[in-house]
Amino acid sequence: IYVNDIPELRQISESSEGVTFGANITLARFERVLEDCGVKHGAQRTQSLAALRENLRYIASNQIRNIATVAGNIVTASPISDLNPVFLAAGAVLTLVSASGERRVPMSEFFLGHQRTAMQRGEVLVSVTVPFNAKGEVVRAFKQAKRKEDAIAIVTCGLRVRVDESQRVVDAAFAYGGVAPTTVLARAAAKAAVGTTWGDRAALDRVLDACQQELQLDYAAPGGMAEYRTALTTSFLFKFWAVSCSALRISCAESLLTHELGEEDRVVSKARQEYAPVEDRAIVGKGVAHLAALKQVTGEARYVDDMPELAGELHVGLVLATRVHARILGIDAEPALALPGVVRVLTARDVPGDNHWNMFKEEEILPTDTVQHYGQPLALVIATTRKLARDAARLVSVSYEDMPAVLSMREAIAKSSFFNEVRHLGNGDVDAALAAADLVLEGESYCGGQEHFYLETMGAVAVPKGEDGEMEVFATTQNPT
């Protein structure tokens, strides 16, 4: 069920207290609505909304923002959510509905642990209400990541403070992500701030110390960088103090330096490439355009997926091995062949000529009797549609006889299974350096197999030409030979 278009989950309403956003508003629409609210209600009353919009600028790509929703960001209870700390600091309230009725849950009571929330079985998040900000209130959001845009946060936060006419703090909320199993409020730091004069440096030091002690990360905390992340919590709080003093016109040296610490948008990159004249193109160092460059950058280049389906075209589904090293005892294709639209199932017996990939004879196109690796293609199911071919391939059953296999580094060491060739890279006397070291830390680290990042997927279309058995092959390959 596609729930994003349910009208009741996409409504936006306003009251004197704040704005209620439907849970299934997309992030793209959410950003536009936040901007409109700022214009309509003024900058002071919509500081929490502005902080949400500030963080939204750096969340994901446009394709994701057009589908991802506000509810998705909240209920996943991610400890590094970009929006949840701001919702939490703003004092947002969630409306949950089930067959039993409706209830409102403050955001401060919603997150129970790592990806655990206060939602009960059968409940649906319908909306989130963000209160307007009062006079003397300042809200900001900060995020530190390994890059500015479209990056997972190291530490993210939403910080809010409200002072009276004498600059005394009457309310504060400091919410952080990336420092605990879920988004958390630095309650001790907020408690230390309430009642103090916000421009008092001595009081600030006590607030920072309370924050540092409360959000202290263990050295072995998931995600690493424990000291750095702990330091970020207080540096963000100090930055917020300086920015808020400037906004509240509280005189201090730092507030004069911040000038609101405005974030500058990175402008769209521009470049120009100059090409050498035709007669100079053979000279090393001259820029020469790739033959297919213009077609590719303009989208005119046609790939296999762009080709219209031909009349009578058949599709291939792969039967993949589920063992890493085994003898093939049999392949039963009858369940697949029983499906209407399945034309044939090809195995090694159907490969004409040499059944090998290359001249070294290392791997067969389709294995005759032995599986060499997990996911190795064992058979091809030919069907009238792509979906049918893939579905039918799952119905083909393969019986195996497992053969000895060494699947981990520990097994290889235990069985003395090593390659004969050893490459040794050395620099200096390692043994002497270790003997002279003040501290030697010993241990073992194991890394499993790494998934390859596919820059381009592979596909091909083979078209019979009708003359002498010729075939015209269109393949997504950079190595046609």
Short mmCIF file of all heavy atoms in Angstrom, two decimals, residues 309-335:
data_model
loop_
_atom_site.label_atom_id
_atom_site.label_comp_id
_atom_site.label_asym_id
_atom_site.label_seq_id
_atom_site.Cartn_x
_atom_site.Cartn_y
_atom_site.Cartn_z
N GLU A 309 11.71 -2.64 -26.90
CA GLU A 309 11.66 -4.10 -26.96
C GLU A 309 11.29 -4.54 -28.37
O GLU A 309 10.42 -3.97 -29.02
CB GLU A 309 10.63 -4.62 -25.94
CG GLU A 309 10.66 -6.12 -25.80
CD GLU A 309 9.88 -6.59 -24.58
OE1 GLU A 309 9.95 -5.91 -23.54
OE2 GLU A 309 9.20 -7.62 -24.67
N LEU A 310 11.97 -5.58 -28.84
CA LEU A 310 11.74 -6.10 -30.18
C LEU A 310 10.61 -7.10 -30.18
O LEU A 310 10.30 -7.71 -29.15
CB LEU A 310 13.02 -6.76 -30.70
CG LEU A 310 14.25 -5.85 -30.80
CD1 LEU A 310 15.50 -6.66 -31.08
CD2 LEU A 310 14.05 -4.80 -31.90
N ALA A 311 10.00 -7.28 -31.32
CA ALA A 311 8.94 -8.28 -31.45
C ALA A 311 9.51 -9.67 -31.18
O ALA A 311 10.55 -10.04 -31.73
CB ALA A 311 8.32 -8.21 -32.85
N GLY A 312 8.84 -10.41 -30.31
CA GLY A 312 9.29 -11.76 -30.00
C GLY A 312 10.51 -11.82 -29.10
O GLY A 312 11.14 -12.86 -28.97
N GLU A 313 10.84 -10.71 -28.47
CA GLU A 313 12.03 -10.68 -27.63
C GLU A 313 11.86 -11.57 -26.39
O GLU A 313 10.80 -11.59 -25.77
CB GLU A 313 12.32 -9.25 -27.17
CG GLU A 313 13.59 -9.10 -26.35
CD GLU A 313 13.94 -7.63 -26.12
OE1 GLU A 313 14.25 -6.96 -27.11
OE2 GLU A 313 13.87 -7.18 -24.97
N LEU A 314 12.89 -12.32 -26.05
CA LEU A 314 12.88 -13.17 -24.87
C LEU A 314 13.87 -12.63 -23.84
O LEU A 314 14.82 -11.93 -24.19
CB LEU A 314 13.26 -14.61 -25.25
CG LEU A 314 12.31 -15.31 -26.22
CD1 LEU A 314 12.84 -16.69 -26.59
CD2 LEU A 314 10.91 -15.43 -25.62
N HIS A 315 13.64 -12.97 -22.59
CA HIS A 315 14.45 -12.45 -21.49
C HIS A 315 15.09 -13.60 -20.72
O HIS A 315 14.56 -14.72 -20.68
CB HIS A 315 13.59 -11.60 -20.56
CG HIS A 315 12.99 -10.42 -21.22
ND1 HIS A 315 13.53 -9.16 -21.17
CD2 HIS A 315 11.87 -10.30 -21.99
CE1 HIS A 315 12.78 -8.32 -21.84
NE2 HIS A 315 11.76 -8.99 -22.36
N VAL A 316 16.23 -13.29 -20.09
CA VAL A 316 17.00 -14.31 -19.38
C VAL A 316 16.93 -14.05 -17.87
O VAL A 316 17.12 -12.92 -17.42
CB VAL A 316 18.47 -14.30 -19.83
CG1 VAL A 316 19.31 -15.26 -18.98
CG2 VAL A 316 18.57 -14.69 -21.29
N GLY A 317 16.65 -15.11 -17.12
CA GLY A 317 16.75 -15.07 -15.66
C GLY A 317 17.84 -16.03 -15.22
O GLY A 317 17.96 -17.14 -15.75
N LEU A 318 18.66 -15.61 -14.27
CA LEU A 318 19.80 -16.42 -13.84
C LEU A 318 19.44 -17.28 -12.63
O LEU A 318 18.87 -16.79 -11.66
CB LEU A 318 20.98 -15.52 -13.48
CG LEU A 318 21.52 -14.61 -14.59
CD1 LEU A 318 22.65 -13.76 -14.06
CD2 LEU A 318 21.97 -15.41 -15.79
N VAL A 319 19.82 -18.56 -12.71
CA VAL A 319 19.74 -19.45 -11.55
C VAL A 319 21.10 -19.38 -10.87
O VAL A 319 22.11 -19.79 -11.46
CB VAL A 319 19.41 -20.90 -11.97
CG1 VAL A 319 19.38 -21.80 -10.74
CG2 VAL A 319 18.10 -20.95 -12.72
N LEU A 320 21.16 -18.86 -9.65
CA LEU A 320 22.43 -18.58 -8.98
C LEU A 320 22.73 -19.61 -7.90
O LEU A 320 21.83 -20.06 -7.19
CB LEU A 320 22.41 -17.17 -8.38
CG LEU A 320 22.11 -16.04 -9.36
CD1 LEU A 320 22.05 -14.71 -8.64
CD2 LEU A 320 23.14 -15.99 -10.48
N ALA A 321 24.00 -19.93 -7.76
CA ALA A 321 24.42 -20.92 -6.77
C ALA A 321 24.22 -20.39 -5.36
O ALA A 321 24.46 -19.20 -5.08
CB ALA A 321 25.89 -21.27 -6.98
N THR A 322 23.80 -21.27 -4.46
CA THR A 322 23.63 -20.92 -3.05
C THR A 322 24.68 -21.59 -2.19
O THR A 322 24.54 -21.67 -0.98
CB THR A 322 22.23 -21.32 -2.57
OG1 THR A 322 22.05 -22.73 -2.79
CG2 THR A 322 21.16 -20.54 -3.32
N ARG A 323 25.73 -22.10 -2.81
CA ARG A 323 26.87 -22.71 -2.11
C ARG A 323 28.14 -22.03 -2.57
O ARG A 323 28.20 -21.45 -3.65
CB ARG A 323 26.97 -24.22 -2.38
CG ARG A 323 25.77 -25.02 -1.98
CD ARG A 323 25.66 -25.13 -0.45
NE ARG A 323 24.77 -26.21 -0.06
CZ ARG A 323 23.45 -26.11 -0.02
NH1 ARG A 323 22.86 -24.97 -0.37
NH2 ARG A 323 22.70 -27.13 0.36
N VAL A 324 29.17 -22.13 -1.73
CA VAL A 324 30.44 -21.51 -2.12
C VAL A 324 31.36 -22.51 -2.82
O VAL A 324 32.19 -22.13 -3.65
CB VAL A 324 31.17 -20.92 -0.90
CG1 VAL A 324 30.43 -19.73 -0.36
CG2 VAL A 324 31.36 -21.97 0.17
N HIS A 325 31.22 -23.79 -2.50
CA HIS A 325 32.06 -24.83 -3.12
C HIS A 325 31.30 -26.14 -2.98
O HIS A 325 31.15 -26.66 -1.88
CB HIS A 325 33.42 -24.91 -2.43
CG HIS A 325 34.40 -25.79 -3.15
ND1 HIS A 325 35.38 -26.51 -2.51
CD2 HIS A 325 34.53 -26.07 -4.48
CE1 HIS A 325 36.08 -27.19 -3.39
NE2 HIS A 325 35.59 -26.93 -4.61
N ALA A 326 30.79 -26.66 -4.09
CA ALA A 326 29.98 -27.87 -4.00
C ALA A 326 29.93 -28.57 -5.34
O ALA A 326 30.17 -27.96 -6.40
CB ALA A 326 28.56 -27.52 -3.55
N ARG A 327 29.61 -29.85 -5.29
CA ARG A 327 29.39 -30.63 -6.51
C ARG A 327 27.91 -30.54 -6.87
O ARG A 327 27.03 -30.68 -6.01
CB ARG A 327 29.81 -32.08 -6.29
CG ARG A 327 29.74 -32.95 -7.55
CD ARG A 327 30.38 -34.30 -7.34
NE ARG A 327 31.85 -34.16 -7.29
CZ ARG A 327 32.57 -34.26 -6.17
NH1 ARG A 327 31.97 -34.50 -5.01
NH2 ARG A 327 33.88 -34.12 -6.19
N ILE A 328 27.63 -30.30 -8.14
CA ILE A 328 26.24 -30.21 -8.60
C ILE A 328 25.73 -31.62 -8.88
O ILE A 328 26.21 -32.31 -9.79
CB ILE A 328 26.14 -29.34 -9.88
CG1 ILE A 328 26.69 -27.94 -9.61
CG2 ILE A 328 24.69 -29.26 -10.36
CD1 ILE A 328 26.83 -27.08 -10.86
N LEU A 329 24.75 -32.06 -8.10
CA LEU A 329 24.19 -33.40 -8.29
C LEU A 329 23.05 -33.39 -9.29
O LEU A 329 22.80 -34.41 -9.96
CB LEU A 329 23.71 -33.94 -6.93
CG LEU A 329 24.77 -34.06 -5.83
CD1 LEU A 329 24.15 -34.61 -4.56
CD2 LEU A 329 25.93 -34.93 -6.30
N GLY A 330 22.34 -32.30 -9.40
CA GLY A 330 21.23 -32.24 -10.34
C GLY A 330 20.58 -30.88 -10.36
O GLY A 330 20.62 -30.14 -9.38
N ILE A 331 19.98 -30.54 -11.50
CA ILE A 331 19.24 -29.29 -11.65
C ILE A 331 17.84 -29.65 -12.14
O ILE A 331 17.67 -30.20 -13.24
CB ILE A 331 19.93 -28.35 -12.66
CG1 ILE A 331 21.33 -27.96 -12.15
CG2 ILE A 331 19.08 -27.09 -12.89
CD1 ILE A 331 22.11 -27.08 -13.12
N ASP A 332 16.83 -29.36 -11.32
CA ASP A 332 15.44 -29.68 -11.66
C ASP A 332 14.75 -28.42 -12.15
O ASP A 332 14.43 -27.52 -11.37
CB ASP A 332 14.72 -30.26 -10.44
CG ASP A 332 13.28 -30.65 -10.75
OD1 ASP A 332 12.92 -30.63 -11.94
OD2 ASP A 332 12.53 -30.93 -9.81
N ALA A 333 14.50 -28.37 -13.46
CA ALA A 333 13.89 -27.19 -14.06
C ALA A 333 12.41 -27.36 -14.33
O ALA A 333 11.77 -26.43 -14.85
CB ALA A 333 14.62 -26.84 -15.36
N GLU A 334 11.84 -28.51 -13.99
CA GLU A 334 10.44 -28.77 -14.32
C GLU A 334 9.47 -27.73 -13.75
O GLU A 334 8.55 -27.30 -14.44
CB GLU A 334 10.06 -30.18 -13.86
CG GLU A 334 10.75 -31.30 -14.65
CD GLU A 334 10.47 -31.18 -16.15
OE1 GLU A 334 9.32 -30.87 -16.50
OE2 GLU A 334 11.40 -31.38 -16.94
N PRO A 335 9.60 -27.32 -12.47
CA PRO A 335 8.66 -26.31 -11.95
C PRO A 335 8.68 -25.01 -12.75
O PRO A 335 7.66 -24.36 -12.93
CB PRO A 335 9.13 -26.09 -10.51
CG PRO A 335 9.85 -27.35 -10.16
CD PRO A 335 10.52 -27.80 -11.42
#
